[in-house]
Amino acid sequence: MAPPKSWIPIPAHHHFSLSNIPFGIIYSKHDSSRRPAVAIGDFVLDLKAFSHHNGFSALPSFGDLSVFEQTTLNAFAGLGRPVHREVRAYLQDIFSESTKHPELLRDNEEVKKAAFLPKFETKNVLPLHIGDYTDFFAGINHAFNVGTMFRGPANALQPNYTHLPVGYHGRASSVVVSGTPIRRPNGQILLDPTADPKIPTFGPSRRLDIELELGAFLCTGNKLGEPIRVANAEENIFGYVLMNDWSARDIQTWEYVPLGPFNAKNFGTSISPWVVLVDALESFRAKKIINETEILPYLKETREDTVYDIKLEVDLTTPDGATTTISKTSGANLLWSFPQMIAHHTVGGCPMQTGDLLGSGTISGKGGNDVGSLLELNQGGKKDIMLAGMDVRKFLKDGDTITLRGVCGDEEGGLVGFGECVGTIESAIVF
């Protein structure tokens, strides 16, 4: 099916087609204030300026224009999915070749000058204020691949893994937008795991890794003591971003027993800047990985296609500029869906809030070049990862840049993508 046409020139390979309309927060060359925007091709529509020029006058049911005066998307997200759906559809019509309201933007040079900006003249910041961040472990292939390295295939998965979405609470304060440099962390490291007694040393992580994930932002939450039912949980999701949950494997190995990761994870988590709304992904639903375990009723969904067939890629660029695509996989490689994660997170009464961020956990295939971490690519540090120019890596060096990409669909039908999630490693602080 041919994609809907826009009066805006949008290259066929562009992630931000008329079928997408992702939301973000920008500032621009001539206006340093942070304000909401949507992306379309190589342009952004400043929603604050658009609303000031009566851009929403043909949508009388949407009356709360103050949400576009805010410096985050929290207020807009908090209006709920029916409003998001209505506003997205309205903007799709505004951008459409056959728009019903050409006077509001297409044929209005004054409004275009004020609100319709070339993307290169703008910068992104975090799209929402993140109150809390929880990282799950829903990628069963990653869990099995890594578990096998340490415990063998018979004991790779913990007994609880197929019964519940395993998760831990991360640090919202170190979630950063794409393009923010990541400082190599210092920490306690056990150089010789066979030593007795086991005495750690202190220094920069030598096994700095990536984790390819999806992130979900919540639009609405629940009251303390009132769980969100799995059947309704998707209505609480605002949209999705790419996520790189940077990991210091050597620090993690020493510290994670008995309470899980701490300093190995809290130094940085990168996310892509544009939030792709749930409705934009509707055509790309896919079935989860089959769970052979009989799960408890509160986690049972009425449909199996509750994940998405997102084509995910990871590039590693060395300090000399050579780039290698080191992994390609699918966002459907999950055992648990985000609605199941929300249902489990709140089953004991935990209150969720607008802007809360959930991570999927590392998304991997079963092996080879379809995995979401260097630890899997290098088989626990045993194998070199070959890069362009005959360079090699096991883990990240200072100056390395990681770029995540994710996109759904094809050029014929109009791509729905996330853009990029980029981070470059900086040297550790010297103590």
Side-chain angles (χ1 to χ4, degrees):
M1 186 173 114
K5 292 185 178 180
S6 172
W7 53 266
I8 302 158
I10 304 174
H13 65 271
H14 209 293
H15 285 201
F16 303 144
S17 72
L18 189 58
S19 298
N20 194 348
I21 316 298
F23 286 71
I25 295 291
I26 63 163
Y27 63 94
S28 60
K29 183 177 178 181
H30 301 294
D31 184 353
S32 61
S33 66
R34 299 181 178 190
R35 66 266 192 204
V38 294
I40 177 82
D42 291 318
F43 297 87
V44 301
L45 180 65
D46 177 342
L47 297 177
K48 179 180 178 181
F50 187 57
S51 65
H52 284 183
H53 286 78
N54 298 316
F56 289 96
S57 58
L59 187 64
S61 59
F62 180 59
D64 193 2
L65 296 179
S66 66
V67 297
F68 297 138
E69 304 282 339
Q70 310 305 312
T71 57
T72 71
L73 289 172
N74 291 63
F76 175 66
L79 297 178
R81 283 195 54 199
V83 174
H84 311 155
R85 185 177 299 119
E86 184 179 36
V87 171
R88 174 174 171 267
Y90 178 78
L91 292 173
Q92 284 178 310
D93 175 74
I94 292 293
F95 296 138
S96 173
E97 184 178 68
S98 57
T99 176
K100 295 188 285 289
H101 309 288
E103 75 284 358
L104 294 181
L105 185 63
R106 191 190 71 184
D107 299 343
N108 192 321
E109 293 302 319
E110 179 186 357
V111 179
K112 281 200 282 191
K113 183 178 180 180
F116 195 59
L117 310 174
K119 193 171 183 297
F120 70 84
E121 292 186 0
T122 68
K123 297 289 185 183
N124 287 90
V125 294
L126 282 175
L128 288 95
H129 171 72
I130 304 167
D132 278 301
Y133 160 48
T134 302
D135 195 28
F136 283 88
F137 195 41
I140 188 172
N141 294 325
H142 171 74
F144 182 82
N145 294 340
V146 174
T148 298
M149 294 176 195
F150 297 104
R151 296 182 295 275
N155 299 300
L157 300 178
Q158 298 291 349
N160 66 354
Y161 188 86
T162 59
H163 289 274
L164 57 84
V166 175
Y168 74 95
H169 295 290
R171 283 291 300 181
S173 62
S174 56
V175 178
V176 296
V177 75
S178 172
T180 305
I182 298 296
R183 175 84 63 181
R184 183 182 298 272
N186 286 289
Q188 291 193 22
I189 300 167
L190 191 65
L191 295 178
D192 182 5
T194 65
D196 189 20
K198 291 177 169 47
I199 306 296
T201 187
F202 178 83
S205 171
R206 305 179 186 191
R207 293 165 68 92
L208 187 55
D209 201 353
I210 66 168
E211 290 193 344
L212 169 63
E213 304 192 24
L214 290 172
F217 275 109
L218 299 195
C219 56
T220 51
N222 58 303
K223 295 180 181 179
L224 179 68
E226 297 183 7
I228 297 172
R229 308 294 179 181
V230 69
N232 305 320
E234 192 171 84
E235 288 299 307
N236 296 84
I237 300 174
F238 177 47
Y240 296 94
V241 292
L242 301 175
M243 175 185 290
N244 186 351
D245 193 32
W246 307 87
S247 300
R249 302 297 182 189
D250 41 5
I251 296 173
Q252 183 176 351
T253 300
W254 173 241
E255 75 177 5
Y256 85 102
V257 177
L259 295 181
F262 188 56
N263 287 332
K265 296 277 195 174
N266 66 12
F267 61 94
T269 300
S270 301
I271 63 170
S272 53
W274 295 101
V275 182
V276 177
L277 299 191
V278 178
D279 285 340
L281 296 172
E282 182 64 29
S283 299
F284 310 105
R285 284 182 176 272
K287 291 184 178 181
K288 305 186 298 291
I289 292 174
I290 294 173
N291 191 344
E292 303 291 351
T293 299
E294 179 68 20
I295 60 175
L296 292 169
Y298 79 95
L299 289 170
K300 288 185 177 179
E301 296 178 290
T302 56
R303 58 191 298 177
E304 287 302 313
D305 59 344
T306 51
V307 295
Y308 302 99
D309 184 19
I310 304 168
K311 301 178 187 73
L312 299 169
E313 293 185 351
V314 182
D315 283 357
L316 193 159
T317 304
T318 59
D320 64 5
T323 297
T324 306
T325 299
I326 59 174
S327 179
K328 294 183 179 181
T329 191
S330 169
N333 281 316
L334 295 172
L335 186 72
W336 301 100
S337 70
F338 279 102
Q340 288 175 310
M341 296 177 212
I342 294 169
H344 183 63
H345 202 315
T346 64
V347 71
C350 174
M352 310 294 280
Q353 299 177 24
T354 301
D356 282 358
L357 177 64
L358 307 180
S360 63
T362 307
I363 301 174
S364 293
K366 292 192 173 181
N369 294 327
D370 62 352
V371 294
S373 69
L374 301 183
L375 184 67
E376 293 166 273
L377 284 168
N378 65 36
Q379 298 176 6
K382 298 174 183 176
K383 175 185 172 183
D384 284 333
I385 303 167
M386 295 301 301
L387 304 177
M390 297 303 293
D391 207 345
V392 297
R393 289 289 185 277
K394 284 191 172 74
F395 294 96
L396 296 174
K397 293 185 178 181
D398 292 349
D400 284 348
T401 297
I402 291 293
T403 302
L404 310 183
R405 285 186 300 277
V407 65
C408 300
D410 54 40
E411 293 182 8
E412 183 179 345
L415 298 178
V416 174
F418 295 79
E420 296 182 337
C421 179
V422 182
T424 300
I425 303 303
E426 294 185 335
S427 300
I429 291 175
V430 177
F431 276 79

PDB file of all heavy atoms in Angstrom, residues 2-20:
ATOM      1  N   ALA A   2       0.561   2.200  -0.853  1.00  0.00           N
ATOM      2  CA  ALA A   2       1.348   3.426  -0.941  1.00  0.00           C
ATOM      3  C   ALA A   2       1.179   4.253   0.330  1.00  0.00           C
ATOM      4  O   ALA A   2       0.086   4.311   0.895  1.00  0.00           O
ATOM      5  CB  ALA A   2       0.902   4.238  -2.150  1.00  0.00           C
ATOM      6  N   PRO A   3       2.271   4.904   0.796  1.00  0.00           N
ATOM      7  CA  PRO A   3       2.165   5.718   2.007  1.00  0.00           C
ATOM      8  C   PRO A   3       1.342   6.964   1.750  1.00  0.00           C
ATOM      9  O   PRO A   3       1.247   7.430   0.604  1.00  0.00           O
ATOM     10  CB  PRO A   3       3.626   6.075   2.309  1.00  0.00           C
ATOM     11  CG  PRO A   3       4.303   6.027   0.983  1.00  0.00           C
ATOM     12  CD  PRO A   3       3.619   4.931   0.226  1.00  0.00           C
ATOM     13  N   PRO A   4       0.713   7.511   2.781  1.00  0.00           N
ATOM     14  CA  PRO A   4      -0.001   8.779   2.606  1.00  0.00           C
ATOM     15  C   PRO A   4       0.977   9.863   2.176  1.00  0.00           C
ATOM     16  O   PRO A   4       2.128   9.878   2.620  1.00  0.00           O
ATOM     17  CB  PRO A   4      -0.582   9.051   3.994  1.00  0.00           C
ATOM     18  CG  PRO A   4       0.255   8.242   4.939  1.00  0.00           C
ATOM     19  CD  PRO A   4       0.686   7.041   4.184  1.00  0.00           C
ATOM     20  N   LYS A   5       0.526  10.761   1.288  1.00  0.00           N
ATOM     21  CA  LYS A   5       1.414  11.781   0.748  1.00  0.00           C
ATOM     22  C   LYS A   5       1.321  13.080   1.540  1.00  0.00           C
ATOM     23  O   LYS A   5       0.262  13.464   2.020  1.00  0.00           O
ATOM     24  CB  LYS A   5       1.078  12.033  -0.724  1.00  0.00           C
ATOM     25  CG  LYS A   5       1.409  10.860  -1.634  1.00  0.00           C
ATOM     26  CD  LYS A   5       1.166  11.222  -3.102  1.00  0.00           C
ATOM     27  CE  LYS A   5       1.549  10.059  -4.004  1.00  0.00           C
ATOM     28  NZ  LYS A   5       1.325  10.381  -5.437  1.00  0.00           N
ATOM     29  N   SER A   6       2.465  13.751   1.625  1.00  0.00           N
ATOM     30  CA  SER A   6       2.546  15.024   2.338  1.00  0.00           C
ATOM     31  C   SER A   6       2.990  16.113   1.373  1.00  0.00           C
ATOM     32  O   SER A   6       3.654  15.853   0.364  1.00  0.00           O
ATOM     33  CB  SER A   6       3.551  14.910   3.485  1.00  0.00           C
ATOM     34  OG  SER A   6       3.787  16.168   4.088  1.00  0.00           O
ATOM     35  N   TRP A   7       2.613  17.344   1.680  1.00  0.00           N
ATOM     36  CA  TRP A   7       3.128  18.474   0.908  1.00  0.00           C
ATOM     37  C   TRP A   7       4.570  18.797   1.276  1.00  0.00           C
ATOM     38  O   TRP A   7       5.239  19.601   0.601  1.00  0.00           O
ATOM     39  CB  TRP A   7       2.252  19.712   1.106  1.00  0.00           C
ATOM     40  CG  TRP A   7       1.997  20.134   2.527  1.00  0.00           C
ATOM     41  CD1 TRP A   7       0.929  19.796   3.302  1.00  0.00           C
ATOM     42  CD2 TRP A   7       2.818  20.998   3.335  1.00  0.00           C
ATOM     43  NE1 TRP A   7       1.031  20.382   4.548  1.00  0.00           N
ATOM     44  CE2 TRP A   7       2.179  21.125   4.591  1.00  0.00           C
ATOM     45  CE3 TRP A   7       4.016  21.671   3.124  1.00  0.00           C
ATOM     46  CZ2 TRP A   7       2.707  21.896   5.625  1.00  0.00           C
ATOM     47  CZ3 TRP A   7       4.555  22.442   4.151  1.00  0.00           C
ATOM     48  CH2 TRP A   7       3.892  22.543   5.382  1.00  0.00           C
ATOM     49  N   ILE A   8       5.067  18.146   2.326  1.00  0.00           N
ATOM     50  CA  ILE A   8       6.453  18.314   2.763  1.00  0.00           C
ATOM     51  C   ILE A   8       7.312  17.284   2.034  1.00  0.00           C
ATOM     52  O   ILE A   8       6.942  16.112   1.956  1.00  0.00           O
ATOM     53  CB  ILE A   8       6.561  18.101   4.291  1.00  0.00           C
ATOM     54  CG1 ILE A   8       5.655  19.079   5.029  1.00  0.00           C
ATOM     55  CG2 ILE A   8       8.004  18.231   4.771  1.00  0.00           C
ATOM     56  CD1 ILE A   8       5.297  18.631   6.425  1.00  0.00           C
ATOM     57  N   PRO A   9       8.471  17.656   1.505  1.00  0.00           N
ATOM     58  CA  PRO A   9       9.339  16.670   0.862  1.00  0.00           C
ATOM     59  C   PRO A   9       9.959  15.741   1.916  1.00  0.00           C
ATOM     60  O   PRO A   9      10.748  16.175   2.756  1.00  0.00           O
ATOM     61  CB  PRO A   9      10.410  17.521   0.172  1.00  0.00           C
ATOM     62  CG  PRO A   9      10.426  18.819   0.927  1.00  0.00           C
ATOM     63  CD  PRO A   9       9.019  19.035   1.410  1.00  0.00           C
ATOM     64  N   ILE A  10       9.578  14.468   1.887  1.00  0.00           N
ATOM     65  CA  ILE A  10      10.074  13.496   2.862  1.00  0.00           C
ATOM     66  C   ILE A  10      10.750  12.358   2.102  1.00  0.00           C
ATOM     67  O   ILE A  10      10.085  11.635   1.345  1.00  0.00           O
ATOM     68  CB  ILE A  10       8.930  12.928   3.720  1.00  0.00           C
ATOM     69  CG1 ILE A  10       8.163  14.044   4.424  1.00  0.00           C
ATOM     70  CG2 ILE A  10       9.485  11.941   4.760  1.00  0.00           C
ATOM     71  CD1 ILE A  10       6.923  13.573   5.173  1.00  0.00           C
ATOM     72  N   PRO A  11      12.059  12.184   2.237  1.00  0.00           N
ATOM     73  CA  PRO A  11      12.734  11.075   1.567  1.00  0.00           C
ATOM     74  C   PRO A  11      12.121   9.735   1.971  1.00  0.00           C
ATOM     75  O   PRO A  11      11.699   9.552   3.122  1.00  0.00           O
ATOM     76  CB  PRO A  11      14.185  11.197   2.060  1.00  0.00           C
ATOM     77  CG  PRO A  11      14.329  12.617   2.495  1.00  0.00           C
ATOM     78  CD  PRO A  11      12.989  13.021   3.018  1.00  0.00           C
ATOM     79  N   ALA A  12      12.063   8.803   1.030  1.00  0.00           N
ATOM     80  CA  ALA A  12      11.415   7.515   1.288  1.00  0.00           C
ATOM     81  C   ALA A  12      12.071   6.754   2.427  1.00  0.00           C
ATOM     82  O   ALA A  12      11.420   5.985   3.142  1.00  0.00           O
ATOM     83  CB  ALA A  12      11.438   6.672   0.010  1.00  0.00           C
ATOM     84  N   HIS A  13      13.381   6.985   2.635  1.00  0.00           N
ATOM     85  CA  HIS A  13      14.106   6.249   3.684  1.00  0.00           C
ATOM     86  C   HIS A  13      14.005   6.917   5.057  1.00  0.00           C
ATOM     87  O   HIS A  13      14.583   6.421   6.026  1.00  0.00           O
ATOM     88  CB  HIS A  13      15.586   6.128   3.298  1.00  0.00           C
ATOM     89  CG  HIS A  13      16.288   7.463   3.240  1.00  0.00           C
ATOM     90  ND1 HIS A  13      16.324   8.229   2.094  1.00  0.00           N
ATOM     91  CD2 HIS A  13      16.964   8.177   4.178  1.00  0.00           C
ATOM     92  CE1 HIS A  13      17.001   9.347   2.332  1.00  0.00           C
ATOM     93  NE2 HIS A  13      17.384   9.343   3.593  1.00  0.00           N
ATOM     94  N   HIS A  14      13.267   8.009   5.144  1.00  0.00           N
ATOM     95  CA  HIS A  14      13.252   8.790   6.395  1.00  0.00           C
ATOM     96  C   HIS A  14      12.381   8.108   7.458  1.00  0.00           C
ATOM     97  O   HIS A  14      11.289   7.624   7.171  1.00  0.00           O
ATOM     98  CB  HIS A  14      12.733  10.204   6.134  1.00  0.00           C
ATOM     99  CG  HIS A  14      13.288  11.211   7.082  1.00  0.00           C
ATOM    100  ND1 HIS A  14      12.993  11.215   8.437  1.00  0.00           N
ATOM    101  CD2 HIS A  14      14.148  12.250   6.885  1.00  0.00           C
ATOM    102  CE1 HIS A  14      13.637  12.219   9.019  1.00  0.00           C
ATOM    103  NE2 HIS A  14      14.344  12.859   8.106  1.00  0.00           N
ATOM    104  N   HIS A  15      12.880   8.088   8.693  1.00  0.00           N
ATOM    105  CA  HIS A  15      12.150   7.484   9.807  1.00  0.00           C
ATOM    106  C   HIS A  15      10.888   8.249  10.166  1.00  0.00           C
ATOM    107  O   HIS A  15       9.945   7.681  10.723  1.00  0.00           O
ATOM    108  CB  HIS A  15      13.047   7.407  11.044  1.00  0.00           C
ATOM    109  CG  HIS A  15      14.077   6.335  10.984  1.00  0.00           C
ATOM    110  ND1 HIS A  15      14.688   5.829  12.115  1.00  0.00           N
ATOM    111  CD2 HIS A  15      14.594   5.647   9.950  1.00  0.00           C
ATOM    112  CE1 HIS A  15      15.551   4.888  11.765  1.00  0.00           C
ATOM    113  NE2 HIS A  15      15.515   4.770  10.450  1.00  0.00           N
ATOM    114  N   PHE A  16      10.867   9.551   9.891  1.00  0.00           N
ATOM    115  CA  PHE A  16       9.769  10.396  10.363  1.00  0.00           C
ATOM    116  C   PHE A  16       8.827  10.726   9.204  1.00  0.00           C
ATOM    117  O   PHE A  16       8.728  11.856   8.746  1.00  0.00           O
ATOM    118  CB  PHE A  16      10.305  11.669  11.016  1.00  0.00           C
ATOM    119  CG  PHE A  16      11.248  11.404  12.166  1.00  0.00           C
ATOM    120  CD1 PHE A  16      12.338  12.225  12.404  1.00  0.00           C
ATOM    121  CD2 PHE A  16      11.065  10.307  12.999  1.00  0.00           C
ATOM    122  CE1 PHE A  16      13.204  11.987  13.458  1.00  0.00           C
ATOM    123  CE2 PHE A  16      11.938  10.043  14.044  1.00  0.00           C
ATOM    124  CZ  PHE A  16      13.011  10.889  14.281  1.00  0.00           C
ATOM    125  N   SER A  17       8.137   9.695   8.731  1.00  0.00           N
ATOM    126  CA  SER A  17       7.174   9.849   7.646  1.00  0.00           C
ATOM    127  C   SER A  17       5.852  10.392   8.189  1.00  0.00           C
ATOM    128  O   SER A  17       5.674  10.565   9.401  1.00  0.00           O
ATOM    129  CB  SER A  17       6.940   8.500   6.965  1.00  0.00           C
ATOM    130  OG  SER A  17       6.180   7.649   7.819  1.00  0.00           O
ATOM    131  N   LEU A  18       4.917  10.610   7.289  1.00  0.00           N
ATOM    132  CA  LEU A  18       3.585  11.059   7.696  1.00  0.00           C
ATOM    133  C   LEU A  18       2.874  10.001   8.532  1.00  0.00           C
ATOM    134  O   LEU A  18       1.954  10.315   9.294  1.00  0.00           O
ATOM    135  CB  LEU A  18       2.760  11.404   6.454  1.00  0.00           C
ATOM    136  CG  LEU A  18       1.407  12.086   6.655  1.00  0.00           C
ATOM    137  CD1 LEU A  18       1.545  13.397   7.426  1.00  0.00           C
ATOM    138  CD2 LEU A  18       0.724  12.323   5.316  1.00  0.00           C
ATOM    139  N   SER A  19       3.316   8.750   8.433  1.00  0.00           N
ATOM    140  CA  SER A  19       2.721   7.672   9.226  1.00  0.00           C
ATOM    141  C   SER A  19       3.200   7.673  10.672  1.00  0.00           C
ATOM    142  O   SER A  19       2.688   6.903  11.486  1.00  0.00           O
ATOM    143  CB  SER A  19       3.056   6.313   8.588  1.00  0.00           C
ATOM    144  OG  SER A  19       2.521   6.225   7.287  1.00  0.00           O
ATOM    145  N   ASN A  20       4.179   8.512  10.998  1.00  0.00           N
ATOM    146  CA  ASN A  20       4.795   8.464  12.324  1.00  0.00           C
ATOM    147  C   ASN A  20       4.293   9.597  13.221  1.00  0.00           C
ATOM    148  O   ASN A  20       3.407   9.424  14.032  1.00  0.00           O
ATOM    149  CB  ASN A  20       6.314   8.494  12.173  1.00  0.00           C
ATOM    150  CG  ASN A  20       7.048   8.110  13.452  1.00  0.00           C
ATOM    151  OD1 ASN A  20       6.451   8.032  14.525  1.00  0.00           O
ATOM    152  ND2 ASN A  20       8.346   7.883  13.348  1.00  0.00           N
TER     153      ASN A  20
END
